Amino acid sequence: MISKKMENMVANSSAIRAMFEEGNRLAKIYGAENVYDFSLGNPNVPAPEAVKKAMIDILNEEDPIVLHGYTNSNAGYEDVRQAVADSLNERFGTSFAAKNITMTVGAAGGLNVILKALLNPGDEVVVFAPYFGEYRSYTNNYDGVIVEISPDTATFQPKLDEFREKLSPKTKAVIVNTPNNPTGVVYSEETIKKLAAIMEEKKKEFGTEIYLISDEPYRELAYDGAEVPYLTKYYDNTIVGYSYSKSLSLPGERIGYLVIPDEVCDSEKLNAAANVATRILGFVNAPTLQQKVVKACLNEQTDISYYDRNRETLYNGLKELGFECIKPEGAFYLFVKSPVADEKEFCNAAKKHNILLVPGSSFGCPGYVRMAYCVAYETIINSLPKFKELAEEYK
């Protein structure tokens, strides 16, 4: 008998993964080239050549006993953490040190570490719909309670009036994800300033600490000169979670970091708690080879022109067919309004054309579907005639 909590999690298992598995099934029947799978945010741009070279050089030059052993601190190699801090300081004018960085098993590992460190049972975590659905599970892992802010489907910026109303003495954390999964929207500096002001106001009103968690796996994927604010500048109690999954196309290597600045309330205790949480959650330490690799590749970036071309082609193609969607400024997702109220019905209709979409209800925003355009350009070009056939069904 599995636990009751896991029974619920299994029953509500990720629709994204389910659709991805459906894509594999259809590919065996119709051929991969005839299946248009927009389900999973799995980068299709190869990692920079420097990443491959770094891996080879490190394996050839480092003592294998040391390289493949445990790190002295669960937070990771000190030289790697200092290099990450120095890079952030140079880019964003911050003043971090190695002590402020915890290397993590990707952004997901980082979020679990910080929520483990922060949450007591019944503490509330505020999220802005649409949001990455796994936040529900991560919060539930530690008996926290998700509080959703409903979506503003005109702009997909956070609804700040509702946010102010839903903050409570039980609020422990607020998660912000920008560029956003699933919309691709970048939260403006004005939005961030207003959000920070509300949190400061409510902290004083309740006499509690509220932490802002900035989930940033898509930070480097921004288009048309869009500026992505660095949130530690706007609110002292800000913790940053980052992943190299998208910026260096390394999703399977599971490497990222947390930043817990000195300005954060109880930062020394919180950094210590993150260190211990890394161990007791079973991560022990972030992958040692990948820590060394990202240190060597801190100035490398994936060529996002591939994603940009896909973005323009898919967005313009769908708009011409009559679909409604907001143009993404970052990440590699398009959030499209379903032509019928029940977007799951629309996903099923699309599947008949071998088009795989993820329902917006998975992101707390029914009536929409998410498309991950981190696919081959040919997949987008070849899918558009199928989308035309699909659109005809709703005219």
Side-chain angles (χ1 to χ4, degrees):
M1 291 286 290
I2 65 173
S3 73
K4 293 296 183 183
K5 184 182 283 189
M6 280 308 302
E7 277 189 357
N8 291 333
M9 288 184 174
V10 170
N12 297 296
S13 185
S14 172
I16 301 171
R17 275 284 171 183
M19 198 61 76
F20 179 66
E21 290 166 7
E22 176 68 2
N24 289 335
R25 185 186 73 82
L26 292 174
K28 291 176 183 177
I29 299 171
Y30 301 105
E33 71 281 3
N34 297 312
V35 177
Y36 313 103
D37 186 353
F38 297 101
S39 63
L40 192 62
N42 194 23
N44 72 311
V45 176
E49 191 65 24
V51 170
K52 177 181 177 180
K53 182 178 185 303
M55 287 187 184
I56 293 170
D57 290 347
I58 291 164
L59 288 168
N60 284 334
E61 296 168 9
E62 298 263 354
D63 179 343
I65 301 298
V66 176
L67 176 61
H68 301 303
Y70 296 125
T71 56
N72 289 337
S73 165
N74 298 114
Y77 291 120
E78 185 170 6
D79 64 318
V80 173
R81 293 185 287 127
Q82 187 61 55
V84 169
D86 291 342
S87 175
L88 293 172
N89 295 340
E90 183 178 346
R91 292 178 62 196
F92 303 116
T94 48
S95 54
F96 306 138
K99 65 178 181 176
N100 302 118
I101 309 297
T102 298
M103 302 305 295
T104 63
V105 182
L111 285 171
N112 274 276
V113 163
I114 198 60
L115 291 173
K116 174 70 171 174
L118 286 175
L119 296 184
N120 292 307
D123 281 348
E124 294 177 349
V125 177
V126 177
V127 293
F128 297 96
Y131 61 92
F132 182 47
E134 296 293 278
Y135 294 162
R136 301 185 198 108
S137 297
Y138 302 162
T139 300
N140 190 30
N141 283 343
Y142 314 108
D143 297 317
V145 177
I146 279 282
V147 175
E148 295 184 4
I149 308 302
S150 64
D152 173 358
T153 54
T155 66
F156 289 107
Q157 295 284 325
K159 276 186 178 177
L160 296 180
D161 288 344
E162 183 180 337
F163 175 61
R164 177 183 275 107
E165 291 172 5
K166 287 188 174 178
L167 290 179
S168 82
K170 292 184 178 181
T171 304
K172 178 60 74 72
V174 176
I175 300 179
V176 169
N177 172 223
T178 174
N180 180 259
N181 173 14
T183 65
V185 165
V186 173
Y187 293 171
S188 68
E189 183 179 42
E190 179 185 7
T191 292
I192 296 303
K193 285 180 176 178
K194 289 179 178 178
L195 182 144
I198 292 169
M199 292 177 69
E200 291 286 0
E201 169 196 322
K202 291 298 182 179
K203 273 174 52 181
K204 291 175 183 175
E205 179 183 335
F206 302 141
T208 60
E209 294 298 336
I210 304 174
Y211 295 87
L212 179 61
I213 301 173
S214 182
D215 180 26
E216 301 191 350
Y218 303 99
R219 164 167 286 283
E220 320 308 335
L221 276 62
Y223 313 105
D224 299 333
E227 294 287 336
V228 183
Y230 200 73
L231 270 59
T232 63
K233 297 180 179 181
Y234 303 94
Y235 183 72
D236 283 350
N237 271 359
T238 297
I239 297 151
V240 177
Y242 185 82
S243 168
Y244 293 96
S245 293
K246 299 358 181 193
S247 61
L248 292 180
S249 291
L250 297 174
E253 302 297 349
R254 310 312 304 141
I255 185 67
Y257 60 78
L258 285 172
V259 184
I260 304 173
D262 289 342
E263 292 78 9
V264 169
C265 181
D266 281 339
S267 63
E268 191 173 331
K269 287 183 179 178
L270 192 51
N271 274 296
N275 190 329
V276 172
T278 299
R279 183 181 79 246
I280 65 177
L281 287 174
F283 301 127
V284 182
N285 53 247
T288 50
L289 172 60
Q290 299 311 320
Q291 288 190 52
K292 298 281 189 180
V293 168
V294 297
K295 179 190 175 187
C297 298
L298 285 172
N299 295 320
E300 299 294 330
Q301 289 187 1
T302 295
D303 183 358
I304 67 169
S305 64
Y306 292 94
Y307 298 138
D308 195 14
R309 181 173 68 161
N310 285 2
R311 176 183 73 119
E312 292 285 356
T313 303
L314 186 60
Y315 172 77
N316 291 329
L318 292 181
K319 290 287 281 185
E320 288 173 10
L321 293 173
F323 290 101
E324 294 182 40
C325 49
I326 192 165
K327 190 172 187 180
E329 300 169 283
F332 40 49
Y333 304 109
L334 200 63
F335 207 49
V336 182
K337 187 174 182 180
S338 169
V340 290
D342 182 356
E343 86 280 6
K344 292 179 182 178
E345 176 189 321
F346 178 58
C347 288
N348 287 331
K351 199 188 301 183
K352 295 174 184 176
H353 298 269
N354 287 351
I355 299 170
L356 301 180
L357 312 170
V358 180
S361 50
S362 299
F363 306 95
C365 188
Y368 286 77
V369 297
R370 190 194 77 169
M371 300 181 63
Y373 55 81
C374 49
V375 297
Y377 183 64
E378 291 72 23
T379 298
I380 290 174
I381 293 296
N382 294 335
S383 73
L384 290 175
K386 294 294 183 180
F387 274 111
K388 185 176 181 180
E389 293 174 10
L390 181 60
E392 292 292 333
E393 295 181 20
Y394 295 95
K395 287 185 178 179

